[in-house]
Amino acid sequence: MRKNVLLLVLTCFLFISWKWQDLSFRLSTDSKKIHIKSEWVVDTFKQGALRANLINNSSPLIQGNFVVQGNAIDGLKAYNKKTGKLIWSFNISSGVASPLAFHKGNIYFGGADGFFYSVQLKTGLLNWKYFSASKNTSKPLIFDNTIYWRADNHKVYALDLKGKILWSYSGSFSSGDFLVKGSSRPAVLRNNLYVALGQGDLVALNRKTGQLKWKISFPQSITEDLNISAKCLFAPVLDSHLFCLNPSNGKTLWKLEGGSSVLQHEKADIYQVLKNYAYAFKNRKLLWKKQLKESYPFPPVFVKKYLIYAFYSRGSIDILYSKNGKFIETYKFGRGLSAPITVEGNDLYLFSVSAYLHKLRLNIQ
């Protein structure tokens, strides 16, 4: 009798224990929608522990098995995408100043030394360099075998792929413009080139001749990239609004709250940021608005159904559910970022203000 009672108690205990473990496992699985793993981290600047706080750097460029990173201290480096091992380096005494552009096997970028560069992806060898006599922080745009970019003295350049100057355009300039964060990438529609200059100026130029077509001014600068469709030139004005402009004449068609960064995506049309608030709009109607943990993130990136926000001064990323803005997770990796995140599939590539390059893997359930 006693043995039967003990056996019954033991059976009940094992049954309850097994059910509790099963419940815990299911709760854990259901609550953990996304898991982040560090694949590798490399120090792109090893000449000493003391280093400046890097700003306005290039985002990692992913091409084939290469991860190419511009460094604002000493130049350009290429790493193996799988291992993080250094493949080649290209030294520039004053460092890389602009985001990187890739076209037909070559990398194009601006330096802080007054030169604009073309370098081979596979070897890191120099093709040519062009002297602009100014720091070059604007991301180049390559269209119809022509390279367009804006130097920090607000001069717009058009070069062919061999580095020959085709034309240049000079906008208004003052020394205070150097205090503005970053420079936006130009945009092209048909024969028009659209460029954000300093002090809130936006110009439309003939992309073949550089002739001015129209010019408008905003109260604040445009520091994020210009985007364009057949009917709308999207201009995110810092601390203000996202403007939809008529590409033909620059007149405002509509505007939305927000302005420091923007992501266009079919899920919500537009994800927009103003200071520390994130917005999602569909047909210009607000879907949701969420407060972020810090002001002025980089433009968000999209990975499947998630939005990922990274910040200049905080060494972490925030992950939100794109449908309703629900906060999912924060991942801490060190100090803040000096450039927007680059996404390839489920992999994130981040470059920190202390010159560390990170590869993160997102395992999404």
Side-chain angles (χ1 to χ4, degrees):
M1 180 67 178
R2 182 177 296 177
K3 290 183 179 179
N4 292 337
V5 172
L6 289 174
L7 183 60
L8 179 61
V9 171
L10 180 60
T11 302
C12 291
F13 173 80
L14 291 174
F15 177 79
I16 294 172
S17 176
W18 177 81
K19 291 299 291 183
W20 176 254
Q21 290 175 357
D22 183 60
L23 179 62
S24 298
F25 175 76
R26 289 184 180 180
L27 284 175
S28 175
T29 301
D30 291 342
S31 63
K32 197 71 171 179
K33 302 294 184 182
I34 189 167
H35 184 73
I36 304 174
K37 178 186 176 183
S38 175
E39 294 287 296
W40 48 256
V41 182
V42 295
D43 185 357
T44 68
F45 179 66
K46 297 181 179 180
Q47 281 84 342
L50 183 63
R51 60 188 74 200
N53 199 46
L54 305 181
I55 58 173
N56 298 343
N57 280 264
S58 64
S59 298
L61 173 71
I62 315 300
Q63 287 293 330
N65 198 37
F66 291 84
V67 181
V68 186
Q69 181 61 59
N71 190 315
I73 301 174
D74 59 1
L76 194 68
K77 294 181 175 68
Y79 300 89
N80 183 290
K81 184 170 67 174
K82 295 181 180 179
T83 65
K85 183 179 179 180
L86 180 67
I87 300 174
W88 55 256
S89 61
F90 180 82
N91 294 329
I92 302 175
S93 58
S94 301
V96 175
S98 81
L100 309 177
F102 177 79
H103 184 70
K104 294 182 178 180
N106 297 309
I107 305 167
Y108 300 89
F109 61 94
D113 58 357
F115 285 94
F116 185 87
Y117 290 87
S118 171
V119 172
Q120 297 174 24
L121 170 66
K122 292 184 177 181
T123 63
L125 296 177
L126 176 69
N127 292 316
W128 51 260
K129 60 182 181 179
Y130 177 87
F131 187 59
S132 67
S134 174
K135 192 175 181 179
N136 303 282
T137 61
S138 173
K139 182 176 182 178
L141 172 70
I142 302 174
F143 183 85
D144 194 22
N145 292 324
T146 304
I147 308 161
Y148 302 99
W149 91 96
R150 194 210 83 183
D152 281 22
N153 58 5
H154 306 315
K155 196 169 184 179
V156 183
Y157 293 90
L159 275 68
D160 66 17
L161 296 179
K162 295 182 179 180
K164 179 184 177 181
I165 184 70
L166 301 177
W167 56 259
S168 64
Y169 169 86
S170 296
S172 59
F173 169 77
S174 68
S175 59
D177 293 334
F178 283 109
L179 301 177
V180 176
K181 174 193 71 66
S183 299
S184 70
R185 182 186 59 190
V188 164
L189 180 64
R190 292 184 283 274
N191 283 329
N192 285 354
L193 175 74
Y194 304 91
V195 186
L197 303 177
Q199 301 174 320
D201 291 340
L202 178 64
V203 296
L205 308 173
N206 183 303
R207 70 176 181 86
K208 295 183 178 181
T209 65
Q211 182 180 2
L212 179 67
K213 291 194 170 184
W214 55 256
K215 175 182 176 180
I216 59 174
S217 296
F218 295 103
Q220 299 290 337
S221 297
I222 300 171
T223 60
E224 304 297 345
D225 292 348
L226 297 171
N227 289 283
I228 198 164
S229 67
K231 298 181 179 180
C232 186
L233 171 63
F234 296 97
V237 179
L238 186 67
D239 286 351
S240 177
H241 293 79
L242 171 66
F243 287 83
C244 171
L245 307 175
N246 186 326
S248 299
N249 53 30
K251 292 184 177 180
T252 299
L253 301 177
W254 51 259
K255 61 182 180 179
L256 295 173
E257 189 174 14
S260 63
S261 65
V262 62
L263 168 69
Q264 292 173 250
H265 196 278
E266 64 270 15
K267 298 272 181 153
D269 284 348
I270 295 171
Y271 295 94
Q272 178 70 318
V273 175
L274 176 60
K275 294 185 178 178
N276 62 329
Y277 282 91
Y279 305 79
F281 296 93
K282 185 76 172 180
N283 298 323
R284 281 181 279 156
K285 293 183 178 180
L286 183 66
L287 295 179
W288 53 260
K289 175 183 176 181
K290 294 292 181 180
Q291 185 173 8
L292 301 173
K293 294 184 177 180
E294 192 166 327
S295 300
Y296 302 116
F298 287 101
V301 294
F302 211 98
V303 179
K304 294 187 177 178
K305 56 185 178 181
Y306 298 99
L307 283 168
I308 301 175
Y309 294 86
F311 304 86
Y312 294 94
S313 57
R314 185 163 60 88
S316 63
I317 57 176
D318 288 349
I319 303 175
L320 276 63
Y321 189 43
S322 61
K323 184 177 181 180
N324 54 21
K326 180 183 177 181
F327 176 80
I328 302 297
E329 187 174 347
T330 292
Y331 179 85
K332 296 182 179 180
F333 57 87
R335 298 181 65 190
L337 294 186
S338 64
I341 296 173
T342 299
V343 176
E344 185 186 56
N346 283 10
D347 294 333
L348 304 180
Y349 297 85
L350 299 77
F351 189 55
S352 77
V353 294
S354 49
Y356 286 91
L357 178 62
H358 299 254
K359 179 182 179 181
L360 304 179
R361 172 70 51 84
L362 273 64
N363 296 314
I364 301 173
Q365 297 177 357

